[in-house]
Amino acid sequence: MTLQEITRSSPARSQLTAGLRDILPLAVGVGVYGLAFGLLAAQAQMDGLQTGVMGTIVFAGSSQIIAVERLVAGAGAGAALLAGLALNLRLLLITASLRDEFAGRPWWQVVLGVHLATDENWALMHAMRARGRRTGYWYLVGGGLGLVAVWVLATVAGASFATAVPEPKALGMDFAFTAAFIAILRSLWSGSAMLLPWIGSIAVVLLAGLLTPLDPTWTLILGGLSGAAIAGVLGSD
Amino acid sequence: MTETWLLIFALAAATFTVRLSGYLLGRRVPEHGPWARGLQALPGCLILSLVTYLLMQGGPLEWAAGAASLTIALATRSLPLAMAGGIAAICLLRAYF
């Protein structure tokens, strides 16, 4: 797949536009969070340029929020970096599971694809595929491009017009992603083979959350890995 | 504000390293067998863990709104509708309870 092939009408191009279109409702949620992050950035004395650059080259919402929040709290850049990095360990599992999408692609497409991989477009790609749609690499990239554009615009706007930014919770937008991921899970459910792995994941997250002082990051990773391990050990090809 | 620039570039480098490492790690997993099955089941389990965690952070109101989202998702299979319904439900619940 070369650049020429992409610019002509091709499956790649139609997937790119489909990814862009399907990500819209999720992008609205990302936009509201972007405004809230911009507000935080303004508190950390960050200007529009810094906010825009950060959104573009980090492109990981929750880790940006925790890192800048640490900065505002006066924890120092080192502690802020560690907090942000810890929250991003989840991305390791996300890009690992994209193996087939990246197989045989040139390095620039791999670099672009992994950078644009976030919870939202990755989950959406899997959900739509489970429903029989043809979604692959360019669908992921289309969704990612839509998200990065909205994220950068919203965060810069939030940092620049900090006084007029609504609190996400006041709009019920804090629940936007929970609702979205519930809908995505419904699409990912493909039958009783998933029952035990899914029960395992829920149980691990509940137990770790209730009984251990583990950081949420580790709780999530443990839950995901436990379910995957159950599927690997008990399942059959 | 050089400390801020330093944080931005360091976090960008660290985040990209994590993303690329995942890809390199995934490439080493065999095509078939337990490891491949685990990798295939990983997306659903990870998203489910995330939803479980998010709902644990909330209370009965969030659980009810989650149930509303799930009901809409089961009935319509539409992501935008399930999102809008969940957001509307949580707004209503918070306003009245």
Side-chain angles (χ1 to χ4, degrees), chain A residues 87-150:
Chain A
L87 215 59
N88 274 339
L89 288 175
R90 182 187 75 258
L91 293 171
L92 192 81
L93 301 181
I94 286 181
T95 53
S97 75
L98 286 168
R99 176 181 65 177
D100 298 345
E101 283 73 18
F102 291 144
R105 296 199 171 270
W107 66 267
W108 69 268
Q109 289 184 9
V110 172
V111 166
L112 180 72
V114 294
H115 181 62
L116 291 177
T118 65
D119 295 296
E120 289 83 11
N121 56 339
W122 165 80
L124 185 69
M125 180 188 79
H126 281 293
M128 288 302 176
R129 185 178 304 165
R131 283 163 58 170
R133 286 262 304 275
R134 281 198 55 209
T135 62
Y137 174 84
W138 290 107
Y139 186 87
L140 179 86
V141 168
L145 288 173
L147 288 172
V148 81
V150 169

Side-chain angles (χ1 to χ4, degrees), chain A residues 72-233:
Chain A
V72 173
L81 173 67
L82 273 181
L85 180 61
L87 215 59
N88 274 339
L89 288 175
R90 182 187 75 258
L91 293 171
L92 192 81
L93 301 181
I94 286 181
T95 53
S97 75
L98 286 168
R99 176 181 65 177
D100 298 345
E101 283 73 18
F102 291 144
R105 296 199 171 270
W107 66 267
W108 69 268
Q109 289 184 9
V110 172
V111 166
L112 180 72
V114 294
H115 181 62
L116 291 177
T118 65
D119 295 296
E120 289 83 11
N121 56 339
W122 165 80
L124 185 69
M125 180 188 79
H126 281 293
M128 288 302 176
R129 185 178 304 165
R131 283 163 58 170
R133 286 262 304 275
R134 281 198 55 209
T135 62
Y137 174 84
W138 290 107
Y139 186 87
L140 179 86
V141 168
L145 288 173
L147 288 172
V148 81
V150 169
W151 178 245
V152 170
L153 282 172
T155 52
V156 171
S160 310
F161 313 107
T163 46
V165 173
E167 173 65 33
K169 195 164 177 165
L171 305 170
M173 289 307 282
D174 58 310
F175 197 71
F177 294 118
T178 311
F181 288 128
I182 286 173
I184 281 168
L185 277 176
R186 188 264 165 273
S187 295
L188 286 179
W189 172 259
S190 64
S192 56
M194 303 170 82
L195 189 61
L196 280 176
W198 281 28
I199 289 175
S201 281
I202 293 175
V204 167
V205 173
L206 284 175
L207 289 172
L210 295 173
L211 305 178
T212 67
L214 270 182
D215 191 82
T217 306
W218 295 109
T219 310
L220 286 185
I221 290 174
L222 270 182
L225 287 179
S226 309
I230 294 171
V233 173

